[in-house]
Amino acid sequence: MTILLVNKSIPAVANQSSLPESNRIVQQLSETSDLLQQGKNYYQNGQYAEAAKVWENTLNYYQEKKEVVSQVQVLNYLATVYKDLGKTQQSQTTIAESLNLLKTFKKQDNQSNLLLAQALNTQGTIQILQGQTETAIDTWKQAAAIYDRIGDKTGKLISQINQAQGLETLGQYRRAKTLLEELVAELQNQPDSLLKAQGLRSLGVALQTVGDLQESYTALEKSLVISQQFNSRSDVSAVLFSLGNIAKDLQKYDVALTDYQKAVSLSPEPQAKLEAQLNQFSLLVKLQRWEPAQALIPAIETNFALLSPSRPAIYAKINFAESLIVIERARDNLNAAKAAQLLAQAIQQAREIKDPRAEAYSLQQLGKLYQQNGQLTDAKKLTQQAQKIAQEMDAADLVARTAAQAGTIAQEQGDIKNAIAAYEIAFNYLQSLRSDLVAINADVQFDFRESIEPIYRDYVSLLLEKGDDQNNLKQARQVIEALQLAELDNYFKDACVDTHPVAIDQIDVQAAVIYPIILSDRLEVILSIPNQPLHHYSTQLSKKQVEATLKRLYSYVSRGYIREESFRLSQKVYQWLIAPAEAKLNSSKVTTLVFVLDGFLRNVPMAALHDGDRYLLEKYSVALSPGLRLFPQGLERKKLGVLAAGLAEARQGFSSLPAVTGEIKEVTAKVEAKVLLNQKFTRDSLKIALDNQPFPIVHLATHGQFSSNPKETFLLTWSDRISILDFDRLFQKRRLGILEPIELLVMSACQTAAGDNRATLGLAGFALRSGAKSTIASLWSVNDESTSNLMKEFYQQLSNPKLSKAEALRQAQLKIKANPAYEHPYFWAAFVLVGNWL
């Protein structure tokens, strides 16, 4: 997670287009205050090595004069710049020296307290880089307390924002969001000022990182009003830039482009103008608006010419080059040469200013360009140079990028062994970066769908290219499970989902696990049967062909259309996933199939696959899992007790569900039960009921939707909606072990968002948020009456202790299917069991 490394010890200063060499400064500037300011100028321009030289000379001067207070100030500056140069150990030593000098102060006045708070703020940023996140949070708390004591509101705000982002790094997004909301409330009570505007802007950016775009937008809008009130062009421009980023995330592209253009017009600084122009340019390229994108190039190049070498300038060149490469691929208009020239300049400038991170990033991008142009030898050399620098700096994100790129190059050269080894490095580093990847990181610049997901898939593709090598198959299975987890992390913008690695043999010796994964050129399937080696098989079809078939099958089955066509498509998918494994499944006497599904396969009911004679449902119990790491535990069957809540009447624009009343009556007829129906079913009443009695089963019969957007994933109550993001609060006592966890969560009458490739992540999300061992929910909006009948039959079957939950659902579905009126899969196949099937 990017920490707001804002340090009051180094205030912002204007960019300067021309700066003298540091060795001449010492001769020309007699006043040390000028040296300090010159260092700040260099630092603010991103010229970290030059800033370090100036401050090192300044420190020597103060040490000779034995001016301890000034030494502390400069040491704080140096610790920050060493950190930014990647010299973490030197940075730690420097800040420790500053803190030791502070201990020698006999008088604790405002000045010494301010220096101590600055030193602690810097120390926290260093600690988090060293993986000491909890220690860093404590350090920032100390800094905030000191700032508060001396009345420095800016310093306190910075320290608290850093605390919140530290919590994000730990995956504690709920606590981070709560802290940020408190800061927003505190700022609201302050009189309007530019400080307040800047604080609100910082909070807006932090809230965007958490994934709370609406709150982020609100904070930024308030910042904009205040900035305009004080006629601060630079502040107004900065807020508009951030608002443009929010609009882009919300896919309001025209609004984003307008905001970026306004930011360019208002900003007095070339660097700020350039950043807004580059975001505007990359968005135009993404939207394939080639003419306005091309027209923007001269203005971008003009602003480049105004900048001295610095990290922001180098990153801007990389950003520009990437967009030019996209245009090159789409339009073949000779932008590759210009991109290569920009990247070569970036490498040279990074070396000039001694910025290894910027150098590694530039080398990696130039290597990528050479690789795309087929110049593999040069691409390999550049990528290896970048990886070596990244490893020396212990920059995990860059190591992951460069290693994956090295794997791609090795694969294209036919060196599969080294390609696999390179991807293994990338995969391991991605695992270590888990909490950093849950939200888009402005510094790392990783977008999950575009940058991270392909690494997992390409690695699996390599591992499964040849034969049934057990080591490769086991690693491929581990990567598939990790991808499932990474997708859920990315969905929630939260990395706090617990994992428990487990072997299938330890769960159910009569269950087989099927892992299909959709690759660019084929559909691969790994088969795991207890006490047998792993097996895999593949179908040579492109991702586009596979997804087109799956979407057509989903459309026919979920709407009850054309039985002949749905049969044909269902048999085709059966041939892909099941047919190659049938002999092994039969000989192993497997009774349950557990699917760890990928992509749009999650939307397709596996029970409705057809072998030409029978549905899969007629041969096996079926369950789904986002991965056995997430749902390994099985609980012993206890006396059934149900908390049932439902909504039969039309509410909040949703239609009535008249069969819900009868459904809940049937579900609760022969068991201990608590019922919340219609007006009695609210978020608060549900929480009270969950907190007061340990029901093993929770049955919710109400409208709801599973969507790829967590904010559009909800359950409807009488007066409000229960968001997936709030679901864990309802089940908090059970998740913490105060009450028994939920054995089974049933969500009746919900549906997935039509045509939404990632919607079923919301279904799995409800299961994970509740802590339920098993969840039953529907893949589409189902018939009210058939659902009621199915649920009645399911609970009757579940009362038989000899039947697993998966088998109880299967028997209920078979009973519904036997009714000629409900024979089509539309009526019985929608309901799926997610999680533990026993």
Side-chain angles (χ1 to χ4, degrees):
M1 186 58 56
T2 300
I3 299 300
L4 293 182
L5 303 181
V6 184
N7 220 324
K8 284 203 66 196
S9 56
I10 305 177
V13 293
N15 287 341
Q16 296 186 3
S17 58
S18 178
L19 295 170
E21 294 296 325
S22 62
N23 58 355
R24 294 210 309 269
I25 297 172
V26 180
Q27 300 168 4
Q28 295 174 359
L29 298 177
S30 58
E31 295 293 331
T32 52
S33 59
D34 291 336
L35 280 173
L36 279 175
Q37 187 59 47
Q38 191 65 67
K40 292 173 189 176
N41 292 342
Y42 276 130
Y43 182 87
Q44 194 62 32
N45 269 345
Q47 296 170 292
Y48 301 141
E50 291 300 316
K53 286 180 185 177
V54 173
W55 286 331
E56 284 165 354
N57 286 323
T58 310
L59 179 63
N60 289 336
Y61 173 84
Y62 284 135
Q63 286 173 336
E64 288 174 6
K65 297 291 185 182
K66 301 189 185 313
E67 295 183 14
V68 181
V69 172
S70 298
Q71 286 180 53
V72 170
Q73 185 179 28
V74 180
L75 285 166
N76 288 350
Y77 291 0
L78 277 170
T80 299
V81 77
Y82 288 150
K83 168 188 60 61
D84 290 332
L85 284 168
K87 300 177 179 179
T88 308
Q89 190 55 53
Q90 193 171 353
S91 178
Q92 177 60 47
T93 302
T94 303
I95 203 63
E97 186 179 348
S98 171
L99 290 166
N100 286 333
L101 280 175
L102 282 163
K103 290 176 183 176
T104 67
F105 285 20
K106 294 178 181 179
K107 183 181 178 183
Q108 296 297 317
D109 55 12
N110 275 6
Q111 182 185 28
S112 62
N113 278 319
L114 178 61
L115 289 170
L116 175 58
Q118 291 170 353
L120 290 170
N121 240 359
T122 300
Q123 187 181 46
T125 63
I126 298 164
Q127 288 166 337
I128 206 161
L129 287 175
Q130 296 173 317
Q132 302 168 13
T133 308
E134 292 176 340
T135 305
I137 292 170
D138 288 338
T139 302
W140 284 323
K141 285 180 180 178
Q142 293 175 47
I146 295 170
Y147 280 127
D148 187 45
R149 193 162 62 243
I150 62 177
D152 189 327
K153 294 178 180 178
T154 308
K156 181 182 176 183
L157 175 66
I158 291 166
S159 300
Q160 289 177 311
I161 292 174
N162 281 347
Q163 286 175 51
Q165 297 201 355
L167 290 169
E168 293 168 36
T169 303
L170 291 174
Q172 297 178 14
Y173 279 71
R174 185 77 62 201
R175 285 180 61 194
K177 186 171 182 290
T178 300
L179 177 54
L180 290 170
E181 287 170 346
E182 290 172 0
L183 296 180
V184 171
E186 185 178 327
L187 276 174
Q188 303 292 27
N189 297 326
Q190 294 181 13
D192 287 351
S193 65
L194 282 178
L195 170 61
K196 180 177 179 179
Q198 291 160 2
L200 285 166
R201 187 173 80 237
S202 295
L203 287 171
V205 172
L207 286 162
Q208 181 189 14
T209 305
V210 177
D212 196 335
L213 299 184
Q214 192 56 55
E215 283 292 322
S216 173
Y217 180 83
T218 301
L220 290 170
E221 278 284 305
K222 290 174 181 175
S223 177
L224 179 62
V225 170
I226 298 170
S227 299
Q228 289 171 331
Q229 178 184 329
F230 285 87
N231 296 317
S232 173
R233 290 170 63 89
S234 60
D235 284 294
V236 171
S237 173
V239 180
L240 286 168
F241 176 73
S242 295
L243 283 168
N245 292 336
I246 294 287
K248 183 177 68 171
D249 287 351
L250 292 170
Q251 299 183 348
K252 297 179 179 179
Y253 296 129
D254 287 330
V255 174
L257 290 169
T258 301
D259 285 339
Y260 291 144
Q261 185 55 51
K262 288 178 182 176
V264 171
S265 302
L266 286 169
S267 178
E269 299 176 5
Q271 181 69 50
K273 279 182 181 289
L274 185 61
E275 288 176 0
Q277 286 172 328
L278 289 172
N279 277 23
Q280 187 180 8
F281 183 64
S282 65
L283 183 52
L284 288 168
V285 170
K286 177 180 179 177
L287 298 174
Q288 298 186 357
R289 299 183 188 177
W290 308 119
E291 298 308 318
Q294 204 73 34
L296 200 54
I297 291 176
I300 290 172
E301 291 176 330
T302 299
N303 275 323
F304 268 125
L306 299 175
L307 299 180
S308 300
S310 67
R311 179 182 287 182
I314 292 165
Y315 278 16
K317 280 185 168 66
I318 296 168
N319 183 325
F320 190 33
E322 284 184 306
S323 294
L324 289 173
I325 292 168
V326 173
I327 298 177
E328 162 75 17
R329 287 202 299 266
R331 307 262 294 180
D332 193 25
N333 64 350
L334 305 179
N335 276 320
K338 183 179 288 188
Q341 185 179 14
L342 277 166
L343 292 170
Q345 290 172 1
I347 294 167
Q348 184 59 38
Q349 289 183 352
R351 288 170 179 167
E352 284 176 19
I353 66 172
K354 296 180 174 57
D355 189 332
R357 183 177 181 85
E359 182 184 354
Y361 193 13
S362 305
L363 284 163
Q364 182 248 324
Q365 289 298 314
L366 186 57
K368 180 180 177 182
L369 177 59
Y370 276 118
Q371 179 248 322
Q372 289 174 349
N373 285 344
Q375 297 168 268
L376 299 182
T377 301
D378 290 333
K380 180 179 178 180
K381 182 179 177 181
L382 289 163
T383 304
Q384 286 175 338
Q385 290 175 9
Q387 187 173 350
K388 184 173 184 291
I389 294 170
Q391 286 173 326
E392 288 172 352
M393 293 178 61
D394 197 26
D397 55 299
L398 273 174
V399 176
R401 273 180 179 245
T402 52
Q405 188 165 294
T408 303
I409 294 166
Q411 183 181 12
E412 291 183 13
Q413 291 178 319
D415 187 354
I416 302 303
K417 181 179 178 182
N418 279 325
I420 289 174
Y423 270 105
E424 183 176 4
I425 293 170
F427 172 70
N428 288 337
Y429 272 90
L430 286 180
Q431 296 305 95
S432 73
L433 272 171
R434 180 183 167 197
S435 62
D436 281 311
L437 298 177
V438 297
I440 293 173
N441 181 322
D443 185 36
V444 176
Q445 298 184 1
F446 270 166
D447 175 82
F448 180 81
R449 302 295 296 282
E450 295 176 8
S451 300
I452 304 304
E453 191 175 324
I455 294 176
Y456 289 90
R457 296 189 187 281
D458 291 346
Y459 187 20
V460 168
S461 179
L462 276 171
L463 290 166
L464 298 181
E465 271 197 352
K466 295 180 181 178
D468 273 358
D469 180 283
Q470 286 301 298
N471 289 332
N472 283 357
L473 287 175
K474 287 175 183 176
Q475 181 69 1
R477 181 175 64 175
Q478 181 182 344
V479 175
I480 291 169
E481 292 253 3
L483 174 58
Q484 297 277 339
L485 182 59
E487 286 184 302
L488 285 164
D489 285 346
N490 180 257
Y491 176 80
F492 287 125
K493 296 290 185 283
D494 194 337
C496 56
V497 175
D498 294 329
T499 64
H500 310 274
V502 65
I504 180 67
D505 316 54
Q506 297 169 2
I507 304 175
D508 184 356
V509 295
Q510 290 186 293
V513 186
I514 294 176
Y515 299 84
I517 186 163
I518 302 171
L519 302 174
S520 59
D521 61 343
R522 66 195 192 277
L523 175 67
E524 281 280 3
V525 182
I526 295 178
L527 174 67
S528 175
I529 297 176
N531 304 312
Q532 290 191 24
L534 294 174
H535 180 60
H536 87 106
Y537 42 92
S538 62
T539 304
Q540 300 301 311
L541 287 171
S542 71
K543 178 182 178 182
K544 187 175 181 180
Q545 290 173 303
V546 170
E547 289 185 343
T549 299
L550 295 174
K551 287 176 181 178
R552 282 163 55 208
L553 174 57
Y554 173 81
S555 179
Y556 289 137
V557 173
S558 65
R559 295 171 191 172
Y561 293 163
I562 317 175
R563 180 166 299 179
E564 292 76 15
E565 178 66 1
S566 63
F567 268 147
R568 187 183 69 80
L569 293 169
S570 179
Q571 289 175 48
K572 179 181 285 190
V573 178
Y574 186 96
Q575 291 300 311
W576 296 346
L577 302 186
I578 309 299
E582 276 189 299
K584 289 182 181 293
L585 295 172
N586 292 335
S587 64
S588 303
K589 298 181 180 179
V590 167
T591 59
T592 301
L593 298 182
V594 182
F595 291 88
V596 180
L597 296 175
D598 181 40
F600 201 84
L601 277 164
R602 299 187 187 108
N603 293 54
V604 175
M606 295 294 105
L609 299 185
H610 204 277
D611 67 0
D613 181 38
R614 291 183 294 169
Y615 286 106
L616 192 66
L617 175 79
E618 297 175 89
K619 302 196 287 186
Y620 300 99
S621 301
V622 175
L624 308 181
S625 175
L628 297 183
R629 289 167 169 259
L630 299 177
F631 290 106
Q633 303 96 333
L635 298 182
E636 293 183 11
R637 189 66 51 84
K638 299 179 179 180
K639 181 181 177 182
L640 294 184
V642 180
L643 169 59
L647 205 57
E649 298 182 20
R651 295 296 295 173
Q652 303 178 50
F654 287 83
S655 62
S656 63
L657 296 169
V660 162
T661 303
E663 176 183 328
I664 288 183
K665 186 176 180 181
E666 292 288 351
V667 164
T668 60
K670 298 178 181 179
V671 296
E672 180 186 352
K674 167 79 173 177
V675 175
L676 302 172
L677 185 63
N678 292 328
Q679 293 96 325
K680 293 182 179 180
F681 177 29
T682 65
R683 183 205 308 257
D684 291 341
S685 65
L686 180 61
K687 179 164 177 52
I688 291 168
L690 286 168
D691 284 348
N692 288 341
Q693 283 181 273
F695 291 107
I697 298 174
V698 175
H699 184 100
L700 305 175
T702 180
H703 284 291
Q705 177 170 279
F706 310 122
S707 166
S708 60
N709 181 354
K711 291 186 180 297
E712 294 173 7
T713 298
F714 63 88
L715 298 175
L716 196 72
T717 71
W718 180 259
S719 56
D720 49 24
R721 296 182 180 185
I722 301 172
S723 161
I724 190 173
L725 298 175
D726 293 328
F727 211 55
D728 58 345
R729 291 182 180 176
L730 291 174
F731 292 85
Q732 189 172 28
K733 282 190 176 182
R734 296 166 187 274
R735 292 177 64 87
L736 294 176
I738 299 170
L739 293 175
E740 286 288 325
I742 301 298
E743 168 89 15
L744 176 64
L745 170 67
V746 180
M747 292 183 284
S748 171
C750 298
Q751 63 173 314
T752 54
D756 189 334
N757 280 18
R758 302 174 79 219
T760 44
L761 290 175
L763 191 161
F766 269 120
L768 287 166
R769 290 289 191 187
S770 69
K773 303 308 175 189
S774 311
T775 298
I776 289 178
S778 55
L779 294 174
W780 55 79
S781 185
V782 286
N783 176 274
D784 194 23
E785 185 177 343
S786 64
T787 297
S788 180
N789 291 337
L790 188 145
M791 287 299 162
K792 173 185 175 182
E793 186 64 33
F794 169 69
Y795 281 100
Q796 286 183 355
Q797 297 290 339
L798 195 63
S799 64
N800 181 350
K802 294 182 179 180
L803 295 185
S804 68
K805 285 172 278 194
E807 181 61 19
L809 178 61
R810 172 175 176 262
Q811 291 298 330
Q813 289 173 314
L814 288 172
K815 183 73 176 287
I816 297 302
K817 177 183 172 298
N819 183 335
Y822 298 142
E823 186 180 1
H824 193 283
Y826 164 77
F827 295 100
W828 52 264
F831 284 96
V832 293
L833 174 69
V834 180
N836 191 278
W837 57 92
L838 295 176

